[in-house]
Amino acid sequence: MNEVMIIPAQDATIGQEREKLEAICLSGLEWAHKSGAEEAEIVLSHGKGTEAGVRDGQPENLTRSQTNNMAVTVYAAGRKGTASVHSLSVDTIRQTVEKAIAVARFTQPDDFGGLAEPEQRQIADADLPDLGLWRPWAVSPAMMFDIACEAEAAGLATDERIRRCAQASITSTAKQVVRVNSNGFVGYHAMTRHQLSASFIAENSSGQQKDGEYDVTCDPALLASPAALGAKAAALALGRLDARSLTTRTCPVLFTPEMAARFWNDVLDVLSGPALYSGRSFLAGRLGEKLTPDFVTITEKPHIWQGTGSRHYDDDGLLRQDAPIISEGVLRRYVLDSYAARRLGMQSTHNAGGISNMVVAGEGPESMAEMIAGLNRGLVVTSIMGHGFDGASGDYSVGVTGMWVEHGEIVHAVEGVTIAAQVPDMLAGIVAISKDHDRRGKIRTGALLLDKMTVAGI
Amino acid sequence: MTDYLQLAADSLLSPHALDTSRLEKLLGRMSGPDIDYADVYLQDCRSEGWTIENGLVRSGSYSVESGAGLRAVSGEKTGFAYCDGFGFDDLADAADNARSISGLMGSGLTAPLAGRDVRRVYAAADPVSELDEKAKIRLLEVIDATARACDPRVRNVTATLRVMSELVLIAASDGTLVADYRPLVRLSVSVGAESNGRRTNGSAGGGGRMKLSDFIASGMAEAKAKEAANRALTNLEAVPAPAGIMDVVVGSGWPGVLLHEAVGHGLEGDFIRKQTSVFASREGTQVAAPGVNIVDNGTLPDKRGSLSVDDEGVETQCTPLIENGVLTGMMLDRMSARLMGRAPTGNGRRESYRHLPMPRMTNTYMLAGESSPEEIISSVKNGIYAVYFSGGQVDTTSGKFVFSANEAYLIEDGKITAPISGATLTGAGEEVLTHVSMIGNDLALDSGTALCGKSGQSVPVGVGQPTLRVDSMIVGGTKA
């Protein structure tokens, strides 16, 4: 097919919805005040998207979407109520505010509730750095089908053992969000996301296996080449053929950057307010303690250029902070919003709505390939199945597929095994973190090598 | 009996200047010689949620999700668009967008819509507005108190009551015009216990498509509070799970999630049609031990996974999937049925109007056998008894599945001994059923909390089974 042309759309659209959404929000705040709410917050979002999927070189599905959402939170007599609706109309805002107030009549007063204290210093929007998140793509469905077809064709062409394409699709979305609260906060966030993905079925006498690859970016010009992505997806599926189980053993375990991000996401969960105040975190009361070897540093970085989680404000309307979570191996802070902070008797870490971007850094080789080459014996984990993490006890036990490595070489693909350990032991047992970060998600980490886990198999 | 078509006309159509002839216009816009099928799905869903946490109902939420999804199907191609609300202009735009999957213009021709009543498998209940808010909050307070009364080591109790009522109207180019009114109640309870610095968690829940007052009167809420508390307390005594191959006794009811993962997804028509399922060409062959019978049944009264009609307007049914170990059926939506030359089975489901329908399970379970649960446990020399799971996942292509136990015990010399923590079970769908060596006489469905995810869409389902003995499963623990 022809080379893909990236045509940037008019950036003018970025301001258009903003004024309209802000006006609805402000009228809602006024109505909330009139209706007896002491405090209120209103979040409106408007999104547009197109998804195109192909099969056998032909369009298979085309989805056009327009999503509207209005969410109202009120505090009346110290009680909280929320209401939401899939609409942005001016009529609806009043009804939604009233419904939130009606809900608040029945909830119970919460001493820790209420909006966040407003920021001491107000920063004008113009003084906030551009994060490069709004890059609309004037792409026609026909062009999207072409791109997905190219990825599909590239995968199918790699090897005769690639029998079928399980899925090849491309999605382009643009979303604008306005958040206002009665403490005077008015925030606007606009972001585009363009995603290309493909997965393939590989088959030989040992059976069939599926794997795939995706890429997601704010800027369509940076999206992976469809041919390269399709070929990589097919190669991953081929790599799973002839997978077999392992005998039960204890050995080093290496998580790919994508799976390492998934592990860190579990750790992040037990650093969050709700886990801490409801007894679901083994890390409660562990601030200032050493969790990992000295060389591990985990830092929140809210302002990464075109980062998936990049934001100026958190969902309380507080400025996101560039601040370490773990440094020199020591747990420096939790991940709290204002509510959790009040409840725990701590300060908000400006993490309402979760983390922005989290960067995991440490000592280790340049790439996962080098890390594997240096591994004497061990299991490389390429996918994780199940939800076997208990935050309260720290027990971690999940099903995985991957590759068995001996003397730096991949010996065979692995499936039908589980890996298990206590998360504190996993953290203390970090051997290395490679420098080739996966940039697709909010959590940016390289491959993670742990000294040992229990592998259960045949 | 409430006339749902009238209710839909009154609350979804008339207020927005819509009527049957305008629905026909929309369908006509999407129809044409190259279009096999088109439909309009109108949905109005109201839900309310209340959570008690540490003794206080600190917040409540109310939400309205209403809008329309429009779809045009041409061969294997699907064009889909949706809009929030029911404005005719928005619907017409969506129809044109859906139509654009085909290169041709709409013909304007469609079969006249002929409304029909459907057999109902749940009552016309509205659990959102049936009782006042105080009754819902009182229920949560009772749950909190019940769980705390179990033991002083109970530290944290969180319970969420979510009630929903949903009205849908489905109009299709073959003349289908069907409405359904769907209640849903779901309670989940999570209890944290602490002793000597060790923290554990236990969860439980229940619900179904029923009146909230019936749910409250059933006493299930108190029972689930105790169950979650006892689970957390049991886990305080748990020893690390062993690792390796073991004989496993899987309890009745909710552990049927094993079947859901191991065979259910692999028997969904889209995976079979596209040959991405491990069961794709296994119909008529022995895939399970003799005596194993598995069905998908959308018609069970008041169950969470039940539907009177699916989201394509097809009446649900009881579909045999595996009979005496032989693969005999699969779950089909209209599209996969048409492309495979079969009849739809009432399994076309969607999360909402913002999502495309696809083949999904309803209530999927194994029928009872003859052994008593005690007999099954005493037959195992050394193994695991898995009573409750926190979730599972399957790779439909390789058939490999995993699920994690929230309550499990060691079996030693035929007797249940110590509770174990951190146990994960893994296996292959096409193998595990051949390893079923005993089937209990105690068939039970889960109590009504299961949520199934597929391709980013979540739908409520039911799972179930009798107590089963499965030989040689891989148990993943830390104790090698």
Side-chain angles (χ1 to χ4, degrees):
Chain A
M1 67 160 270
N2 300 326
E3 208 168 281
V4 176
M5 302 252 299
I6 303 295
I7 307 170
Q10 293 286 322
D11 254 9
T13 56
I14 190 164
Q16 279 174 6
E17 294 293 331
R18 177 175 187 167
E19 274 180 34
K20 186 182 128 201
L21 297 180
E22 279 186 14
I24 300 169
C25 282
L26 295 172
S27 81
L29 280 187
E30 199 176 317
W31 194 249
H33 185 67
K34 276 186 188 148
S35 311
E38 290 118 37
E39 293 189 313
E41 178 199 68
I42 296 173
V43 185
L44 301 188
S45 67
H46 175 70
K48 277 186 183 176
T50 305
E51 178 179 0
V54 300
R55 187 172 158 77
D56 298 332
Q58 294 292 320
E60 187 185 29
N61 55 63
L62 178 66
T63 297
R64 307 298 290 259
S65 63
Q66 276 227 45
T67 57
N68 301 302
N69 203 53
M70 171 187 294
V72 176
T73 302
V74 298
Y75 296 91
R79 300 155 192 260
K80 180 181 177 184
T82 65
S84 69
V85 59
H86 287 179
S87 164
L88 294 177
S89 84
V90 182
D91 304 337
T92 320
I93 185 82
R94 287 192 171 192
Q95 294 162 21
T96 310
V97 163
E98 284 164 10
K99 193 65 207 181
I101 291 174
V103 168
R105 258 180 227 125
F106 297 96
T107 56
Q108 293 158 338
D110 187 343
D111 294 343
F112 311 110
L115 297 176
E117 300 300 315
E119 203 90 50
Q120 294 299 312
R121 59 203 168 97
Q122 292 283 336
I123 296 190
D125 279 8
D127 295 335
L128 293 167
D130 177 23
L131 300 175
L133 304 177
W134 184 256
R135 294 291 182 272
W137 190 6
V139 61
S140 67
M143 197 195 282
M144 293 174 84
F145 284 129
D146 281 350
I147 295 169
C149 281
E150 192 185 350
E152 185 195 39
L156 291 173
T158 51
D159 193 295
E160 62 181 14
R161 291 168 299 166
I162 294 291
R163 295 294 163 83
R164 285 175 291 284
C165 178
Q167 168 271 337
S169 67
I170 180 162
T171 309
S172 175
T173 59
K175 190 174 183 188
Q176 301 179 61
V177 183
V178 168
R179 177 184 298 274
V180 304
N181 72 34
S182 55
N183 277 349
F185 177 75
V186 179
Y188 173 75
H189 181 74
M191 184 174 187
T192 53
R193 281 170 79 81
H194 313 288
Q195 178 162 340
L196 175 63
S197 65
S199 59
F200 294 90
I201 311 273
E203 194 176 343
N204 67 4
S205 57
S206 77
Q208 59 174 15
Q209 296 285 350
K210 181 170 76 179
D211 207 344
E213 177 67 348
Y214 76 99
D215 193 28
V216 57
T217 60
C218 294
D219 186 342
L222 300 176
L223 204 55
S225 118
L229 184 134
K232 179 160 184 210
L236 289 169
L238 287 169
R240 286 200 182 204
L241 284 173
D242 301 309
R244 52 185 202 261
S245 190
L246 296 168
T247 54
T248 300
R249 65 189 67 188
T250 299
C251 65
V253 171
L254 189 163
F255 290 72
T256 62
E258 196 177 344
M259 293 305 116
R262 188 167 155 161
F263 168 71
W264 288 116
N265 196 50
D266 284 337
V267 173
L268 198 51
D269 182 58
V270 290
L271 292 171
S272 74
L276 292 164
Y277 62 67
S278 56
R280 284 187 290 109
S281 174
F282 72 90
L283 289 175
R286 306 280 297 275
L287 275 187
E289 287 187 26
K290 191 143 163 74
L291 298 181
T292 69
D294 285 347
F295 62 79
V296 177
T297 303
I298 299 183
T299 311
E300 178 168 11
K301 297 266 183 198
H303 306 122
I304 295 175
W305 178 252
Q306 299 188 330
T308 302
S310 294
R311 299 277 163 120
H312 290 299
Y313 296 101
D314 78 348
D315 289 356
D316 282 336
L318 302 178
L319 282 169
R320 294 269 186 187
Q321 294 174 333
D322 195 324
I325 296 169
I326 289 179
S327 61
E328 282 135 11
V330 173
L331 179 61
R332 305 291 175 183
R333 68 167 171 104
Y334 293 124
V335 178
L336 307 176
D337 60 9
S338 331
Y339 176 80
R342 286 182 204 130
R343 196 149 163 194
L344 293 163
M346 297 180 181
Q347 294 293 313
S348 169
T349 58
H350 301 196
N351 283 111
I355 198 94
S356 54
N357 304 296
M358 182 172 112
V359 179
V360 181
E363 285 170 10
E366 289 302 314
S367 69
M368 179 171 80
E370 268 181 53
M371 195 184 249
I372 291 173
L375 186 61
N376 186 32
R377 296 174 74 248
L379 175 64
V380 177
V381 171
T382 56
S383 82
I384 293 176
M385 288 173 76
H387 315 278
F389 173 53
D390 181 337
S393 64
D395 290 334
Y396 185 89
S397 175
V398 294
V400 301
T401 59
M403 299 174 288
W404 179 251
V405 172
E406 279 183 22
H407 309 301
E409 303 277 345
I410 293 163
V411 184
H412 63 82
V414 173
E415 67 178 5
V417 298
T418 68
I419 55 171
Q422 281 280 312
V423 173
D425 297 336
M426 292 169 76
L427 293 172
I430 295 173
V431 176
I433 297 166
S434 73
K435 297 188 168 52
D436 50 344
H437 283 190
D438 185 337
R439 293 164 185 275
R440 295 171 297 184
K442 285 178 169 187
I443 298 177
R444 296 189 170 203
T445 171
L448 176 70
L449 178 61
L450 305 181
D451 63 347
K452 62 174 194 292
M453 292 184 76
T454 306
V455 176
I458 49 173
Chain B
M1 204 159 83
T2 322
D3 180 344
Y4 292 160
L5 281 168
Q6 191 60 49
L7 184 65
D10 292 347
S11 58
L12 301 182
L13 300 181
S14 328
H16 309 283
L18 294 175
D19 56 19
T20 319
S21 74
R22 290 198 118 178
L23 292 179
E24 283 169 355
K25 278 203 182 71
L26 293 168
L27 289 166
R29 255 177 130 113
M30 293 190 283
S31 299
D34 57 338
I35 296 290
D36 296 294
Y37 187 75
D39 63 4
V40 180
Y41 181 83
L42 304 178
Q43 180 189 28
D44 181 54
C45 177
R46 275 141 215 280
S47 65
E48 204 181 78
W50 302 91
T51 298
I52 192 164
E53 191 252 304
N54 237 11
L56 288 179
V57 178
R58 295 167 199 266
S59 72
S61 63
Y62 177 81
S63 79
V64 179
E65 294 171 20
S66 55
L70 290 88
R71 172 174 67 145
V73 181
S74 167
E76 295 188 46
K77 301 179 194 175
T78 303
F80 176 57
Y82 59 83
C83 60
D84 299 321
F86 304 108
F88 184 74
D89 292 345
D90 293 339
L91 289 162
D93 279 350
D96 292 344
N97 274 325
R99 184 73 181 78
S100 69
I101 190 73
S102 149
L104 305 174
M105 290 296 289
S107 66
L109 298 173
T110 184
L113 291 174
R116 65 181 162 86
D117 280 332
V118 292
R119 164 224 52 185
R120 297 182 186 177
V121 302
Y122 32 79
D126 177 6
V128 177
S129 50
E130 169 202 345
L131 297 178
D132 67 10
E133 279 72 11
K134 284 182 186 153
K136 298 165 195 166
I137 283 156
R138 201 175 314 122
L139 179 71
L140 291 172
E141 288 172 340
V142 167
I143 291 165
D144 180 81
T146 308
R148 286 177 195 283
C150 288
D151 195 287
R153 292 171 297 168
V154 168
R155 292 294 154 82
N156 301 92
V157 181
T158 304
T160 297
L161 176 68
R162 183 156 286 283
V163 287
M164 195 164 98
S165 33
E166 179 186 23
L167 177 63
V168 299
L169 179 66
I170 302 147
S173 56
D174 64 354
T176 298
L177 182 67
V178 165
D180 191 17
Y181 190 67
R182 301 167 175 172
L184 193 61
V185 175
R186 184 182 196 267
L187 170 74
S188 60
V189 186
S190 171
V191 172
E194 191 175 346
S195 174
N196 300 324
R198 180 176 165 84
R199 297 189 184 109
T200 57
N201 205 34
S203 57
R209 296 200 183 275
M210 58 179 72
K211 288 170 86 171
L212 181 59
S213 50
D214 288 347
F215 176 75
I216 293 174
S218 74
M220 189 190 266
E222 292 89 332
K224 292 297 163 187
K226 286 180 191 158
E227 191 180 317
N230 287 330
R231 199 155 275 146
L233 294 165
T234 299
N235 285 335
L236 281 177
E237 317 296 329
V239 299
I245 291 200
M246 258 159 267
D247 296 334
V248 177
V249 177
V250 191
S252 67
W254 168 239
V257 68
L258 178 146
L259 307 175
H260 175 101
E261 303 297 354
V263 292
H265 281 294
L267 294 176
E268 290 169 337
D270 49 348
F271 292 134
I272 294 186
R273 175 174 72 82
K274 297 182 184 180
Q275 296 199 300
T276 59
S277 164
V278 69
F279 294 113
S281 48
R282 303 287 297 278
E283 202 171 6
T285 67
Q286 191 86 28
V287 296
V292 170
N293 293 286
I294 298 176
V295 299
D296 180 79
N297 187 352
T299 71
L300 296 173
D302 303 342
K303 289 294 177 191
R304 178 173 166 85
S306 297
L307 287 174
S308 299
V309 285
D310 73 2
D311 294 322
E312 299 182 302
V314 178
E315 273 192 17
T316 55
Q317 62 183 44
C318 179
T319 309
L321 301 174
I322 293 175
E323 294 175 88
N324 201 19
V326 177
L327 183 58
T328 56
M330 63 184 79
M331 293 164 280
L332 301 168
D333 61 356
R334 281 187 190 255
M335 185 180 191
S336 52
R338 183 171 44 77
L339 292 171
M340 295 169 81
R342 294 165 185 249
T345 57
N347 289 92
R349 303 186 61 189
R350 62 202 303 172
E351 180 178 315
S352 78
Y353 67 89
R354 287 180 172 182
H355 302 86
L356 267 175
M358 56 182 160
R360 301 297 295 261
M361 286 175 258
T362 59
N363 303 296
T364 313
Y365 54 95
M366 187 188 292
L367 304 184
E370 316 223 302
S371 307
S372 73
E374 298 74 26
E375 211 179 320
I376 296 176
I377 287 162
S378 64
S379 76
V380 173
K381 178 136 178 59
N382 283 300
I384 298 288
Y385 177 41
V387 178
Y388 197 80
F389 294 112
S390 48
Q393 194 181 340
V394 66
D395 173 336
T396 49
T397 303
S398 67
K400 294 287 178 293
F401 66 85
V402 161
F403 47 105
S404 313
N406 184 227
E407 182 182 349
Y409 302 83
L410 291 175
I411 303 177
E412 295 169 290
D413 283 326
K415 294 200 170 53
I416 294 170
T417 59
I420 53 175
S421 67
T424 295
L425 303 185
T426 186
E430 79 278 23
E431 272 168 30
V432 70
L433 290 182
T434 62
H435 291 179
V436 171
S437 60
M438 292 175 87
I439 301 173
N441 55 13
D442 57 340
L443 167 64
L445 257 73
D446 77 295
S447 46
T449 56
L451 192 67
C452 168
K454 173 178 170 183
S455 305
Q457 293 194 39
S458 296
V459 296
V461 296
V463 299
Q465 66 177 31
T467 300
L468 297 181
R469 174 176 164 158
V470 185
D471 294 341
S472 332
M473 278 191 92
I474 295 173
V475 178
T478 49
K479 220 177 121 197

